[in-house]
Amino acid sequence: MENQPLLVESFKIIGKDYENGGEASSKIKSILKKLGIPPEIIKKVSICAYESEMNIVIYAYEGEITLFIYKDRIKVEAKDIGPGIENLELAMKEGYSTAPPEAIELGFGAGMGLPNIKNNSDRMKIDTDIGKGTTLTFEVDLNEKG
Amino acid sequence: MKKDKNYINSIRTIKEKCIGCTHCLRICPTEAIRVRNRKMELYDLKCIDCGECFKVCPTGSIYSFYDNIEVIKNFDYNILIVPNIFPSINFGMLSYEDVIKRLFSLGFNEIWEEGIGNEAYLIALQKILKETKDTIKPIIPTSCPAIVRLLQVNYPLLINNLTVINLPLDILGNYIKEKRKNIKSFGLFYLSTYPCKVTALKNPLGLKSSPFNGVFSLSDIYKRLMIEKIEGSGEFFKSGKVGVSSGRRGGEEDFLEEFKVISIDGIWNINKFFDEMEEEKIPYFDYIDAKACLLGCVGGVFLKNQNFLLNFYNQREEEKRRKSLMSDVVEKDIDEFLKDENLLLTEKINPRPQYLLSENMDIAAKIFQEVNTIYDLLPKFDCGSCGAPSCRSFAEDVVLNKIKLTECKFIEEKNL
Ligand SMILES: Nc1ncnc2c1ncn2[C@@H]1O[C@H](COP(=O)(O)OP(=O)(O)OP(=O)(O)O)[C@@H](O)[C@H]1O
Ligand code: SF4
Ligand code: SF4
Ligand SMILES: [Mg+2]
């Protein structure tokens, strides 16, 4: 695996900012388009980036999403200052959700975000510290051609 | 006509006429225009021939490429397809029948209305919507070539939503070609009101070669028809109600009433819709009746002052033809139209990514970073006084050495 990223871009995320939630992943998508990444890969990365961005908006106080582009893969790190996740195993379960009412009203809270990231990425890792925050990292591999 | 891969776009400019007013600059949906040294410059790889620039140019500097009608002399037998909005054009004192008679006298043996192709297209689409469960939805049409190219240039993630059906015009062209194959030397031509369709014939979308031998300009022919008093005769094939209304916003939607169809007109509205679609923010639809021109083809490019009139006459014409939903040919011979070789795209329509900074990802990433560095220096007003449509496109031009950074009025040389 290559260790020198070709490009690194970061985006700040503000907790409870539902209005702008999704903008970072939308920017990530447009960068990937400009770099000529194959559409199927862009789709996967966008889905995962969107889910991690919205989790920061819904559950954390603030955070940052960083896109790393390597020759052979795309990595996204979603790091937040927030409550942390108490039971990771439970959080990863389809349908498990602690989404607050205002998020449910907007259509979130199906408990599908984290499972979706797992399904659409090649690797996923969550580091969480109760009371401090969570860092979710996922990677999507580029095929030889990409 | 063999496909000409080098034929990229049909929009042309007359440099001498251009006054550098920049009206065209920001109207372009793909940022294909720059104004340098008070002259419009076209990045032709980005142009999708939507004709928006033509519509706003106050000096008539922008026109579309066409073939000269003299080419029909190369053939013994000539067939002309007239655009689906042709019956809606107001020819003053002349009735539509008179116009057709005069058209014959220009040297055509048969005249077909394009709407016939739209009818076959819609029947095929209806079949697909009914019978094929695994198509990606919403289906994006091929009936408006500017939309297809917008997708290629700006929306690579949506390319698989394009239908597998040929452009209506190509379906009709293929059909006629096959039906008349016994005639030794015959030419098939189209009378176009839009640059989008000129390009679609010169460098066909999803086909190896075009069934057409040339394409003429409506304004050219219009003038001739007004002078030419001679009436000719020949075989004339009329479309039904469906063919007539397919050129109007919502016309396709009317026909596909049993499905969930959304009609959108205007390239900028479609841009916004596709943005949302890429973000997956759009609820379920079966089909998008998308037309790049406001009002649909009746809002077509070379009829810029007549759009609402045309829309009115189009509705009237539809009313007149309400008794025959479809043309006689389609009624009798639909199976022939729907044969795979007439109906289906033979090549995949691929993205033509012009937002791409370089083919090579390493270089693209480097350029991207340099563009960001330059962009950070700019005021982000998108004022256009540098001759680029946005600060970001200006930054890209600077990095690609197409313009100097100091062309931006807000950058002072001493600060660099
Ligand atoms: N960044 C985070 N900080 C704190 N808790 C989190 C974070 N991300 C996820 N969680 C917890 O994990 C649960 C499951 O998250 P997941 O994204 O799978 O579903 P959801 O956000 O509840 O619903 P959906 O994503 O379908 O709208 C959340 O309800 C929340 O309790
Ligand atoms: S025809 Fe459309 S895409 Fe081409 S330059 Fe004009 S506005 Fe831009
Ligand atoms: S609209 Fe564009 S092409 Fe027409 S005169 Fe102005 S700058 Fe020139
Ligand atoms: Mg979630």
Side-chain angles (χ1 to χ4, degrees), chain A residues 6-9 22 25-26 29 31 33-40 42-43 46-47 69-71 142 146, chain B residues 154-158 160-161 278-280 351 355-358 360-362 364-366 368-369 372 392 396:
Chain A
L6 298 171
L7 189 83
V8 180
E9 287 282 323
S25 25
S26 175
K29 186 181 281 180
I31 295 174
K33 271 167 77 177
K34 290 226 178 223
L35 298 186
I37 308 284
E40 318 79 63
I42 302 184
K43 277 190 184 155
S46 312
I47 293 171
I69 295 176
Y70 299 90
K71 226 180 158 47
L142 295 164
Chain B
N154 275 2
Y155 299 99
L157 301 187
L158 302 180
N160 290 330
N161 289 60
E278 262 197 358
E279 297 292 322
E280 291 170 36
Y355 48 82
L356 194 63
L357 297 166
S358 163
N360 179 319
M361 200 172 75
D362 297 28
K366 260 200 207 93
F368 183 81
Q369 264 155 340
N372 274 355
R392 184 152 287 276
E396 282 179 20

Side-chain angles (χ1 to χ4, degrees), chain B residues 7 35 63 128 162 164 220 256 373 381:
Chain B
Y7 192 97
V35 178
Y63 67 101
I128 287 184
L162 262 181
V164 294
D220 238 26
L256 299 168
T373 314
F381 294 158

Side-chain angles (χ1 to χ4, degrees), chain B residues 98-261:
Chain B
D98 294 338
V99 168
I100 295 295
K101 281 183 198 152
R102 288 189 184 188
L103 260 182
F104 278 124
S105 79
L106 298 182
F108 297 105
N109 304 79
E110 292 179 29
I111 295 174
W112 292 64
E113 287 182 352
E114 181 189 9
I116 298 169
N118 290 80
E119 291 168 0
Y121 167 90
L122 282 168
I123 292 174
L125 196 68
Q126 197 178 35
K127 245 178 115 100
I128 287 184
L129 283 169
K130 262 196 203 132
E131 292 164 16
T132 321
K133 291 280 170 280
D134 56 354
T135 13
I136 300 171
K137 305 282 180 58
I139 295 178
I140 295 176
T142 49
S143 47
C144 175
I147 298 291
V148 179
R149 282 189 294 265
L150 178 72
L151 223 55
Q152 288 183 291
V153 169
N154 275 2
Y155 299 99
L157 301 187
L158 302 180
I159 204 90
N160 290 330
N161 289 60
L162 262 181
T163 172
V164 294
I165 313 174
N166 260 324
L167 276 61
L169 187 54
D170 286 330
I171 300 176
L172 181 57
N174 288 340
Y175 172 82
I176 296 175
K177 200 99 197 177
E178 175 61 26
K179 281 280 153 180
R180 299 291 180 265
K181 65 173 183 232
N182 292 333
I183 301 174
K184 268 208 190 81
S185 147
F186 89 85
L188 181 62
F189 301 93
Y190 180 61
L191 184 58
S192 186
T193 47
Y194 333 92
C196 64
K197 294 214 172 136
V198 179
T199 317
L201 298 191
K202 294 284 171 190
N203 184 356
L205 292 156
L207 287 183
K208 282 202 177 62
S209 73
S210 161
F212 290 85
N213 301 92
V215 50
F216 309 127
S217 138
L218 176 66
S219 33
D220 238 26
I221 302 275
Y222 188 95
K223 278 178 225 144
R224 282 177 189 247
L225 289 179
M226 290 301 152
I227 321 165
E228 200 94 35
K229 294 260 159 36
I230 314 160
E231 294 189 344
S233 66
E235 262 192 290
F236 178 41
F237 298 87
K238 263 182 139 172
S239 68
K241 170 182 176 291
V242 172
V244 169
S245 61
S246 65
R248 197 173 65 237
R249 187 199 112 113
E252 294 186 338
E253 183 185 350
D254 286 350
F255 180 74
L256 299 168
E257 58 181 357
E258 64 206 284
F259 303 99
K260 200 173 169 211
V261 177

Side-chain angles (χ1 to χ4, degrees), chain A residues 98-109:
Chain A
T98 62
E102 86 265 12
I104 291 170
E105 212 161 278
L106 291 167
F108 302 102

